[in-house]
Amino acid sequence: MFEFLRIHQVDIMLGLVSICLIIAVFTAVNTIMSKRRKIIMFMMQLGAVIWLEADRVAYMFHGIPGREGYIAVRVSNCLVFLMTVFVLFTISLYLQDVLKNEGGIKKVPLALNIADALAVLAMLLVLISQFTGLYYTFDENNNYQRSDLYFISYIFPYLILIIQMSILVYYRKKIRGRIAMSIFLFVSVCLVASMIQFFAYGVSLVDMAAVTMVVAVYTLALVEMNEKANLANRLRYENLKDEHDSMKKLFEQTAIALATAIDQGDNYGQGHSVRVADYSREIARLSGMDEKDCDEVFFAALLHDVGKIGVADTIVQKDSELSSEEYDEYKKHTIIGGEILSNINDFPFLSLGAKYHHERFDGKGYPEGLLGENIPKIARIIAVADAYDSMTSRRHHRDPLPQSTVREEIVKEEGAQFDPGYAEIMIDMIDHDTEYMMREKEFLTDTRNDNNIVEVKQMHFNEYKEVITEGIQVTENITRIHFDYQSEMGFDEKKSIPAIILFDAHDGCVHTDDSGIRLLKYLEYGEIWLDGNYISTAARNMKVDVTPVAAGVPLEKKSVVHVDMEMAKFKDHVKLSIVTDTYKVDVIAALADSIRFCYVAFTGEHCSIMNVEIEENCGEVLEGDIPRIADEVSFINKIEGDIPNLQIEGYRKAYTQPVEVVDGMILRFRTKSLPTAHLIWHCPFMLLFSSDDGMPGGKNYHEHGCIRLDGENATNNDLAINEVHAQRGETFNGWDGWKKDNLKGYECELKIGRRRNRITMETENAGIHLKSTTTIPQGYDSVYLSLTGDQCALTDIRISY
């Protein structure tokens, strides 16, 4: 190792000199360091350059006689000894600067002042040595030789290094990180190198080690300062971002306040603008827009109705239908809103939403009748969100529409009122909103406690059916309801008791007006009073048994009556059990069919109910738990084909017997929607799958495709690639016609082809020509086809090859 250094040390020194010169240049132009530190660093690098270059010259002219050699070896050796102390002196200055700036020490420690004094004294002794031979001498051939007092030249640097090390140890808690590490390394390496150098004559180990550490000091200092600069920049950026976010929040709050004030003018539009803005931003996000564009869509949607402030309140707040003149006046809110927001020059996108959100994709909208993509993108997004919120909010003539009805309306208006792409995104949002959270929120009086039991404090009823609670769905899981009730004083206590209404409606609410009954398919099965009296209306049969409770106090004699109620449903039968201190009332009702839902709502006459608790999922009802009082309704008592007939009463609740897919196979069957069907997707589905036993949901079940006859892909995963093409032919009579055709029933022919892992299915029904291609991943040799659907009956199913 030493031999290698001895041979190549001149070249190594030259390389280090070059590095130090480059660093010195970088130091001179550095803008990150403070002025004082930059000067110190420059002095350090310059001293290192002189030190190494002088040492190189000393080696190059060592032992070369003549005047040139005479001058070179004497000047170079003098500079080597001087720069050794000078570089140590710059390290002390650097340490002082670090203590002041990073360590927060205002006064320079005495030890460092002593080190500076020792450095000055050491440099004076070097100059004296040139005339006295104190440290070294030269012979007539200019050969360098150490003097007896050579060791003194080591004492001062050692003392300086020891002082610097002691300062680092003493102030270790105040100066940490890379800067402290670089100084520590410099001192440690120099101490070790000098000890080796004392015994290893002929190799400038101290010079090269020290200069290498000088480079390290600069590098680590630069890295440290860059990190601090980056931190400062990051803090500055975060401050600017916080300021931007604060301004954005202020703008958003101002816009929301303005939008809320506008909505206040519409008796049926509370919170409308905020909801439309939220839906619009989500549509924009799902369509692939970046955050900036999504924010623009949000704010444009938030202010889309600002033009209503220019329309008379009598028109905006009118409960009944607008006349043609009033409607023409109302339509002006788009132009007014566009003009108001166009004055905000920095945000031109705001006016686009206000002016064009009532344009239709088919060109039949207003104010300009724009067609297709000529309508600004923002307006096309807002149009879908605005229509969705209008349908899912309460209006003067109706309650919020059921989610399924809203979805169907959007499907029907794809390519007509709405941009198909954004309509598809809205449909996907609806499909993921399984709990129907995307709607106008109502103020509820109930809460859930820690045991997930719904609690309601109190409700009061005056005239019968004047107040009716929201419905509680009766399911195949037992629900228990506990409450107290009290009759109102001054009225007949035998009549002043609560009653229970059994019904079905799309929104789970009781309706007494014709429009609500028609639009929401309201069907009332019957009414039951707590004393056992009842009225059966649409129920096919109702059986009520009243059993007195032993030693019970008559209801009319009690001031507060406690009631325990249990309810459940199995297929088309519902059972209620009502227990008071006086009576036990058991009710069995046969519904119109198995497809219908059943809800329970409370009403009454001159009484109050309080302390209501509702416990859900208290056990499952199985077949036979509810005695049957009417025959099961069947729509498949017809001739059977190769596969048994199937009645599907809910979304994918039943599946036909599967058949393995073979190329050239044809499946023929008759389909007919059940009487309760009212939506587009109440039709058959074609299910492609694989499983070990060839059954849907069987072991190792993998769904490849689920294609509905209306042309939608209802596949539950993306394991396979499904391409679905649905074309509406000349015989297609609109979606209302499609539903009517399905209710009447028709013969369906499904052609199936398979080429390796590609399966095609093709059929044409009620004016829709449907072709799907399913590309199945490798490894699935056996693929099965089963028919399923929603609220439809499949009969006479035949297979040919």
Side-chain angles (χ1 to χ4, degrees), residues 459-491:
M459 285 178 284
H460 181 73
F461 309 110
N462 288 317
E463 298 299 325
Y464 185 66
K465 283 191 174 181
E466 183 181 27
V467 175
I468 305 172
T469 67
E470 290 187 2
I472 303 168
Q473 187 175 355
V474 187
T475 68
E476 293 180 358
N477 288 307
I478 297 171
T479 299
R480 295 192 177 106
I481 304 174
H482 314 282
F483 63 92
D484 299 324
Y485 84 86
Q486 185 174 27
S487 299
E488 189 176 347
M489 294 183 63
F491 294 91

Side-chain angles (χ1 to χ4, degrees), residues 424-436:
E424 284 293 334
I425 293 173
M426 188 76 248
I427 291 168
D428 187 60
M429 289 167 59
I430 293 171
D431 291 342
H432 283 83
D433 182 25
T434 55
E435 297 185 3
Y436 201 6

Side-chain angles (χ1 to χ4, degrees), residues 569-606:
K569 173 180 180 286
F570 187 82
K571 291 188 175 180
D572 58 347
H573 275 51
V574 169
K575 181 178 181 180
L576 305 180
S577 178
I578 307 164
V579 180
T580 68
D581 291 340
T582 306
Y583 301 113
K584 182 177 185 292
V585 181
D586 291 309
V587 181
I588 297 176
L591 308 182
D593 49 53
S594 301
I595 306 119
R596 285 278 187 176
F597 289 161
C598 182
Y599 296 88
V600 162
F602 291 90
T603 185
E605 183 177 350
H606 300 296

Side-chain angles (χ1 to χ4, degrees), residues 5-214:
L5 290 176
R6 183 177 290 109
I7 296 171
H8 299 285
Q9 63 181 335
V10 174
D11 295 328
I12 295 172
M13 290 180 187
L14 180 61
L16 289 173
V17 166
S18 302
I19 293 172
C20 288
L21 278 174
I22 293 171
I23 292 176
V25 173
F26 286 159
T27 303
V29 298
N30 189 291
T31 58
I32 299 176
M33 296 181 185
S34 64
K35 185 177 180 180
R36 174 179 169 79
R37 184 164 298 184
K38 186 159 68 170
I39 293 172
I40 294 171
M41 282 288 180
F42 186 79
M43 292 168 56
M44 190 185 300
Q45 300 302 325
L46 193 61
V49 168
I50 297 172
W51 184 359
L52 278 182
E53 187 58 28
D55 209 3
R56 282 184 70 246
V57 172
Y59 274 101
M60 290 168 62
F61 286 91
H62 175 73
I64 297 177
R67 183 168 181 79
E68 185 178 352
Y70 180 90
I71 297 173
V73 295
R74 285 165 176 75
V75 172
S76 60
N77 277 281
C78 175
L79 289 174
V80 167
F81 278 81
L82 278 175
M83 291 302 106
T84 301
V85 182
F86 179 79
V87 170
L88 291 177
F89 174 69
T90 60
I91 291 293
S92 291
L93 294 178
Y94 179 56
L95 185 54
Q96 292 174 24
D97 190 63
V98 169
L99 287 172
K100 179 181 178 182
N101 292 285
E102 276 75 14
I105 299 169
K106 297 180 180 180
K107 188 177 180 180
V108 177
L110 178 62
L112 283 179
N113 289 328
I114 294 172
D116 292 344
L118 289 173
V120 173
L121 179 58
M123 285 187 281
L124 287 174
L125 288 175
V126 170
L127 293 175
I128 293 171
S129 173
Q130 305 308 304
F131 305 101
T132 61
L134 181 65
Y135 294 155
Y136 56 84
T137 58
F138 297 94
D139 61 17
E140 64 278 3
N141 292 320
N142 297 321
N143 287 312
Y144 168 87
Q145 294 181 359
R146 295 176 179 177
S147 299
D148 293 337
L149 298 179
Y150 173 77
F151 69 91
I152 297 176
S153 65
Y154 272 74
I155 292 176
F156 290 98
Y158 265 119
L159 289 174
I160 295 171
L161 288 171
I162 291 169
I163 291 172
Q164 290 171 348
M165 181 65 79
S166 64
I167 290 293
L168 282 172
V169 173
Y170 186 79
Y171 291 104
R172 64 187 179 279
K173 293 183 179 180
K174 290 187 177 293
I175 50 171
R176 300 177 179 178
R178 294 184 179 86
I179 290 180
M181 184 193 302
S182 66
I183 301 174
F184 177 80
L185 285 174
F186 179 90
V187 173
S188 302
V189 170
C190 287
L191 282 171
V192 173
S194 61
M195 292 177 184
I196 298 173
Q197 176 80 65
F198 190 82
F199 301 100
Y201 183 77
V203 180
S204 298
L205 189 61
V206 173
D207 305 25
M208 291 186 286
V211 172
T212 302
M213 288 300 101
V214 165

